[in-house]
Amino acid sequence: MSKLRVRFAPSPTGYLHIGGARTALFNYLLARKEGGSFILRIEDTDVARSTQESVDAILQAMEWLGMQCDEGPVFQSARFDLYRQKVRQLLDQGLAYRCYCTAEELEAKREQALQEGRKPKYDGTCRALQGTFSERPFVVRFRAPGSGATTFEDRIKGPITFQNEELDDLIIQRSDGTPTYNFVVVVDDAEMAISLVVRGDDHINNTPRQILLYQALGYPVPDFAHVPMILGADKSRLSKRHGATSVMAYRDMGYLPEALVNYLVRLGWSCGDQEIFSMQELIEKFSLEAVGKSASVFNPEKLLWLNAHYIKHGDSQRLGELLTGHLVQKGIEVGDGPAPAAVVDALKERAKTLLEMAEQAACYYRSEVVFDPDAAAKFLVPALGSAFETLLRRMEGEGDWQESTLERAFEEVLHQTGLKFGKLAQPVRVALTGGSAGPGICQIMVLLGKERTLARLRQAIGMLA
Ligand code: GLU
């Protein structure tokens, strides 16, 4: 058997959508699993809508998700000569023809068909024309068979049949000389020897038209697998109304790529009741046979749950670097503050996203404590003045600034003041971080370091008076 060759073929007219990312992932996993090739093809024949910015955004998102291609990116805009040659081939063989009907004529015919209750379809006016009219603009149409049926075995959906009479004489080249999607996709998939086309099921209606083109061009027909759509909670097609749909927006919201990969692949594919998969495990276990036939609903809570899982189990050093990026985004300098990896260790159990973690971490880096007014009013009360003084003195004298030592010192202060742990710990937490939630009190002191801890205790004492 020849090697599997699959491709991802985005149109660069916007960012990488999470639906597209899932299609790309399915292709990528199959290629890796079978030792095949994963090809990236940028479908930029629509010059007016394609932008370099989108190309860059797509490449960046693919890289972020960890999908490296084996060939490409191949740009369709660099292949116009090939497409022109293939249009000429079909014209020469009589399998395509020039159509001179004007847009107005076609519109009038369309309206008439609709009025008469017929399905609008090109009526074949120019099919039998002899000769060419060089001065008149024309499109090139494929001479579709008009009868019989086109059948294919979809690797996800099963056998699918279309009646050829339903299929129009497709335009393969526009009047400006540019080729159309259905034509170039066939030429490229064939010329790049793609053996399996995995794409969204919004393309399923294109497949029989494309199969007819493969046959006309004398190419072998690849296998097809059409992946069901992703829907929002209201069962309509996932769109911005349901939340972020751009892959990179998830990075900016503090998601980890492994969480998004894990989530997207599970959206439509399952493997027993296993939920957590590394990329390597996905490569081993993914198969089209286990992809469901119907659409899946995007569930942001589950994605968040997976993200929390990967944060909890992630490498602190790496997460620390990512956290730093989010802090800088918030205008916070890491500078001489605690090592980000140590902050990650303190917060990884309680933050579901890196953005949330950056919010919780900000207090360890800011020079000023930003107090939550409710927490300050509730906990920083004058009655605690002498307990805070005792704590300050004890901590001033502490030479070994480590969590276990500080815990002992804190116990001593509790003993001296006769306060229960929570009665002192919570106000101290507010004094040190500005808020009443956070890691253990001695962990906070270690993160802040001695100098900042003492300064913040003194500041609180000033507020208590
Ligand atoms: N460029 C097409 C799209 O972005 C994909 C075509 C295909 O996969 O065949 O929808």
Side-chain angles (χ1 to χ4, degrees):
M1 241 179 76
S2 56
K3 255 181 45 169
L4 178 76
R5 288 177 62 83
V6 291
R7 58 27 167 214
F8 176 52
S11 307
T13 54
Y15 53 71
L16 182 60
H17 188 277
I18 53 175
R22 186 186 55 160
T23 302
L25 271 165
F26 284 5
N27 278 289
Y28 173 80
L29 295 174
L30 287 170
R32 288 292 167 275
K33 180 180 179 178
E34 307 212 353
S37 296
F38 174 57
I39 295 139
L40 177 62
R41 184 172 72 227
I42 303 291
E43 305 217 312
D44 58 348
T45 50
D46 186 345
V47 183
R49 291 180 62 225
S50 302
T51 65
Q52 184 58 40
E53 210 184 335
S54 301
V55 173
D56 294 342
I58 291 167
L59 295 179
Q60 187 192 28
M62 300 270 297
E63 190 185 332
W64 184 65
L65 291 173
M67 287 186 277
Q68 230 193 348
C69 61
D70 303 301
E71 292 172 30
V74 175
F75 290 84
Q76 286 188 323
S77 56
R79 296 162 67 85
F80 279 109
D81 284 348
L82 171 67
Y83 308 136
R84 253 192 295 274
Q85 187 192 323
K86 293 293 165 184
V87 169
R88 165 125 317 271
Q89 176 186 328
L90 290 186
L91 280 170
D92 289 348
Q93 292 173 337
L95 295 169
Y97 60 92
R98 292 181 179 78
C99 170
Y100 298 89
C101 295
T102 63
E104 294 75 36
E105 283 165 351
L106 292 172
E107 186 50 32
K109 285 176 190 173
R110 212 183 90 86
E111 275 183 14
Q112 194 178 351
L114 285 175
Q115 264 174 21
E116 291 168 9
R118 286 182 289 119
K119 207 174 146 196
K121 188 179 159 184
Y122 182 60
D123 65 355
T125 304
C126 297
R127 265 189 159 220
L129 280 184
Q130 299 291 325
T132 56
F133 306 90
S134 54
E135 75 287 1
R136 283 170 58 189
F138 63 88
V139 300
V140 178
R141 285 185 188 271
F142 174 56
R143 198 183 293 277
S147 64
T150 301
T151 295
F152 63 98
E153 182 71 29
D154 191 279
R155 296 267 300 270
I156 294 174
K157 309 247 175 188
I160 295 180
T161 298
F162 282 82
Q163 297 306 317
N164 290 343
E165 64 182 354
E166 299 286 316
L167 310 176
D168 228 337
D169 276 359
L170 198 74
I171 296 175
I172 59 173
Q173 183 180 291
R174 301 182 191 92
S175 56
D176 65 1
T178 58
T180 58
Y181 159 71
N182 275 300
F183 186 71
V184 295
V185 90
V186 168
V187 172
D188 280 341
D189 283 340
E191 295 286 332
M192 295 174 180
I194 301 301
S195 53
L196 167 65
V197 171
V198 181
R199 61 184 170 200
D201 69 1
D202 49 338
H203 284 290
I204 221 159
N205 287 332
N206 289 322
T207 304
R209 299 169 217 279
Q210 292 176 9
I211 289 174
L212 293 172
L213 284 168
Y214 278 101
Q215 290 164 346
L217 288 160
Y219 289 133
V221 180
D223 282 351
F224 292 95
H226 288 94
V227 180
M229 290 286 97
I230 303 178
L231 307 178
D234 60 358
K235 301 286 163 70
S236 68
R237 191 176 169 164
L238 189 70
S239 73
K240 278 193 194 141
R241 284 186 301 116
H242 302 105
T245 54
S246 147
V247 166
M248 295 317 274
Y250 282 89
R251 180 197 62 178
D252 297 345
M253 292 189 296
Y255 285 79
L256 292 171
E258 56 270 41
L260 196 57
V261 163
N262 193 151
Y263 179 69
L264 288 179
V265 178
R266 277 283 291 105
L267 199 54
W269 171 79
S270 56
C271 183
D273 47 19
Q274 186 174 344
E275 289 291 357
I276 309 286
F277 297 87
S278 66
M279 189 67 113
Q280 197 48 44
E281 254 180 308
L282 288 173
I283 289 170
E284 282 157 28
K285 296 187 172 173
F286 181 76
S287 78
L288 286 177
E289 288 63 42
V291 173
K293 285 188 172 53
S294 46
S296 347
V297 174
F298 189 77
N299 178 349
E301 278 90 54
K302 186 161 169 207
L303 172 57
L304 193 60
W305 174 80
L306 277 167
N307 202 52
H309 168 88
Y310 282 104
I311 286 182
K312 205 187 258 180
H313 297 94
D315 173 66
S316 302
Q317 201 61 41
R318 170 185 166 233
L319 294 183
E321 282 160 25
L322 297 174
L323 174 66
T324 303
H326 284 282
L327 286 167
V328 170
Q329 280 286 315
K330 291 168 74 70
I332 295 167
E333 285 301 326
V334 169
D336 57 355
V343 175
V344 169
D345 282 332
L347 299 177
K348 67 205 288 187
E349 297 279 343
R350 52 183 71 243
K352 290 192 170 69
T353 67
L354 289 173
L355 198 59
E356 213 177 280
M357 192 184 276
E359 263 142 39
Q360 296 171 12
C363 63
Y364 304 106
Y365 295 99
R366 285 203 182 101
S367 47
E368 297 290 318
V369 184
V370 180
F371 288 98
D372 162 6
D374 292 342
K378 181 165 173 203
F379 292 107
L380 299 183
V381 291
L384 284 169
S386 78
F388 264 66
E389 292 279 4
T390 310
L391 179 69
L392 175 65
R393 273 194 306 277
R394 178 66 187 79
M395 291 305 174
E396 276 170 345
E398 183 55 69
D400 184 22
W401 206 258
Q402 284 187 56
E403 203 174 324
S404 55
T405 327
L406 296 180
E407 268 162 18
R408 251 173 282 132
F410 197 78
E411 282 298 328
E412 276 173 44
V413 173
L414 290 178
H415 191 73
Q416 279 175 32
T417 56
L419 289 171
K420 288 241 160 48
F421 178 80
K423 289 279 180 236
L424 185 59
Q426 197 63 327
V428 171
R429 181 177 283 112
V430 176
L432 297 181
T433 67
S436 53
I441 192 70
C442 296
Q443 219 177 348
I444 293 175
M445 292 196 230
V446 171
L447 286 178
L448 285 172
K450 185 169 179 179
E451 210 177 301
R452 285 192 202 205
T453 301
L454 299 181
R456 290 182 185 195
L457 285 176
R458 287 187 196 111
Q459 182 191 14
I461 289 169
M463 290 164 70
L464 296 175

